[in-house]
Structures are given as C-alpha cells and as structure tokens.
Amino acid sequence: MADSTFLTCMSYVFGWTYFICWSLSFYPQSILNFSRKSTSGTTIDFPLINSLGFFAYTVSNFAFVYSPLIRAQYAARYKGLTPTVQLNDITFAFHGLILCFVTVSQYLFPRAWGFAPSLGSRPSRFILGTFFGCVAGALIIILRVWASPVRNDTSGAAVTTGGWVWLDAIYAVSYVKLVVTLIKYTPQVIVNYRNRSTEGWSILQILLDFGGGILSIAQQAIDSYQQGDWSGITGNPVKFALGNVSMIYDLVFIVQHYVLYRRATGEKADGEGNSDSDPLLREDGRGGDEERRIQ
C-alpha cells in the first residue's frame, strides 16, 4: 500500500513537472524573436506544423478524458483499463496550441510585431504537403467511422474484431500529432546545417523539451506498472512516442549548438556585433540565413 501511494505521488509530481517544462519550452523562441525583432535563422515550418499537431493532440486528449463513449470503447478493447491521459495532458496540449498560434503570428504578421521582413515566413513545400496530407488522412478515417453501423458500439466484439468505432477516429486524430512529431524539427535541423549556425534558434526551448520528455516517459511507465499491464503504453502510443522522438531531435540540436556550430555562432556574434537581441538581416532586407531555407 505504501509503495502504491509513493508511486502515485511520483506519477503526479512527474506529470505536472513535465507539464511545466514542456509548457515553458514554448516561450523562449517567441521571446527571442521579439527581442531580436526578427525571425531570421528560423522558418515558419516548425511552429506552423506544430500548431496542427497540438490541435490534434488537444482534441484526442479531451476525448480520452471526457467522452464516456470513447472511454467505454477503450475499456472494451484493452481489457477494462482506462486511458492513461490525465488532466495535465489536456492543459499542456491546449496551452501549447495557443503559444504555437502566437509564434506563427510572428512569421505571418511581422509588421504587427515590428519585425524586419523575413523569407522564413513562407512554408516549405514539404511542410505544406505534410500539413494537408495529415488533415486529409484524418478526415478519411472520420468519414469511414461515420459510415460504420457499429460506430457507437461499446461491446467487446464490435470494438475488438475490426469494426470501425469512434475510438478509431480519435486514434486517427491523435496519429496526426505523432506524424507531426516525427518531422516537425527536420526543417530547422536542415536550416542549421546549411547555415552552419544555430543563431536565431533558442536552445533553451530544447533543453526544457528534453527534460520534459524524460519525465513524460517516466510518468507513463509508472502508471502502466501500477495497472499491471503495459497496454497503458501500447494503448496510448502517441504520448509514449512524443517523449522518445522529441528527445532524439533534442540531442541533435544540443550537438549542433554546443559542439558542431559553437565556434561559428560565437564568431558571428563577435564579428558582426549580433546577439540574441540584434536582428540578423542585412540592410537589403535579405538575411544570409534565410536564403538557405528548405524548399
């Protein structure tokens, strides 16, 4: 009993701590952009596709927690267990969605923010294709479920034997977040590589994201252990993948910032007089960083 109480407390503490870390990670980039009066060195690709991901994440988390139908279908499919999604997951997702919109607005409406013009405000074809592909895929699954005669069934037979139910539609929406997580950092990794610099990209957001990922995986492992069934992870693969995939990207950014391009970023700041609060665009309005954006 004591061990169970301790693990429950640990899960609670880990849950809210990763919520704080991940929530704070949304602020450094927008604050850095504002202090520099520029988004040069970065592109709109990351915050744009991240907005779609967090919209999907908010919807799916809300359904797992507050929809009696979804929870009943989940229990029927996973031997009476309940989803491991908690209130802090919903709070985190909605908060992240709002902050993503704020960051996107810095690229779409630079004059409103007092920013210099930036070529990075145009999304790449790769991100646009991913954006509309995810939306189309989710809509197709939702329509398929809508046409299913057993969509509202909560019996074990209908839910576990391949019948299309609303739980499958929610999974389709949640997988949008998974796809976004798999590719959302790729454009910025490429921009940093082409620029040979991480100037303009906030490393603080990466460090916070890395810490949050570790705690998120730890919380889910504790919850699944207490239930005595690891379907707590297999039943919610998006949350589990978020922590793992994000940490891999985080490590790439950490290596870029502190190892590969540390000297290049330092020399740029010293030689050109640039700092986190100085715009990186030249007088002609075309920054060298932005000319290396991906297509």
Side-chain angles (χ1 to χ4, degrees), residues 64-75:
F64 276 126
V65 173
Y66 293 112
S67 171
L69 176 62
I70 297 302
R71 293 179 67 85
Q73 291 178 343
Y74 184 98

Side-chain angles (χ1 to χ4, degrees), residues 29-250:
Q29 188 61 56
S30 58
I31 293 175
L32 179 59
N33 292 343
F34 182 77
S35 65
R36 297 168 66 236
K37 299 300 181 183
S38 173
T39 57
S40 61
T42 63
T43 72
I44 194 176
D45 287 341
F46 168 67
L48 178 63
I49 198 68
N50 213 24
S51 297
L52 174 64
F54 273 97
F55 175 78
Y57 197 41
T58 300
V59 171
S60 60
N61 279 345
F62 192 87
F64 276 126
V65 173
Y66 293 112
S67 171
L69 176 62
I70 297 302
R71 293 179 67 85
Q73 291 178 343
Y74 184 98
R77 181 169 294 181
Y78 296 106
K79 304 175 183 179
L81 298 178
T82 58
T84 57
V85 178
Q86 299 182 12
L87 175 61
N88 60 278
D89 295 306
I90 297 178
T91 307
F92 161 72
F94 184 72
H95 173 265
L97 178 63
I98 299 301
L99 268 295
C100 283
F101 286 160
V102 171
T103 306
V104 167
S105 71
Q106 293 181 327
Y107 293 85
L108 296 181
F109 311 105
R111 292 183 179 179
W113 287 89
F115 290 2
S118 172
L119 293 178
S121 61
R122 294 181 300 171
S124 65
R125 290 190 293 270
F126 170 67
I127 288 299
L128 286 178
T130 303
F131 187 101
F132 290 112
C134 287
V135 172
L139 288 177
I140 289 173
I141 298 301
I142 291 173
L143 291 175
R144 178 63 183 85
V145 171
W146 181 265
S148 172
V150 297
R151 61 181 180 272
N152 294 320
D153 203 326
T154 58
S155 67
V159 177
T160 61
T161 58
W164 288 91
V165 295
W166 282 116
L167 177 63
D168 298 306
I170 295 302
Y171 271 137
V173 173
S174 70
Y175 284 141
V176 170
K177 174 59 176 170
L178 178 57
V179 171
V180 168
T181 300
L182 291 174
I183 59 90
K184 67 180 182 179
Y185 286 121
T186 303
Q188 189 61 45
V189 170
I190 296 174
V191 168
N192 291 347
Y193 170 75
R194 292 178 177 176
N195 291 341
R196 298 295 192 272
S197 171
T198 59
E199 191 75 19
W201 178 249
S202 173
I203 192 63
L204 179 56
Q205 68 177 329
I206 299 303
L207 298 177
L208 289 168
D209 186 71
F210 186 73
I214 293 176
L215 294 173
S216 173
I217 293 174
Q219 184 205 36
Q220 198 166 14
I222 291 174
D223 291 344
S224 297
Y225 173 78
Q226 285 189 288
Q227 289 185 343
D229 194 317
W230 291 97
S231 61
I233 290 178
T234 60
N236 187 13
V238 173
K239 183 180 178 181
F240 184 71
L242 287 179
N244 282 282
V245 175
S246 292
M247 286 193 296
I248 293 174
Y249 274 111
D250 291 339

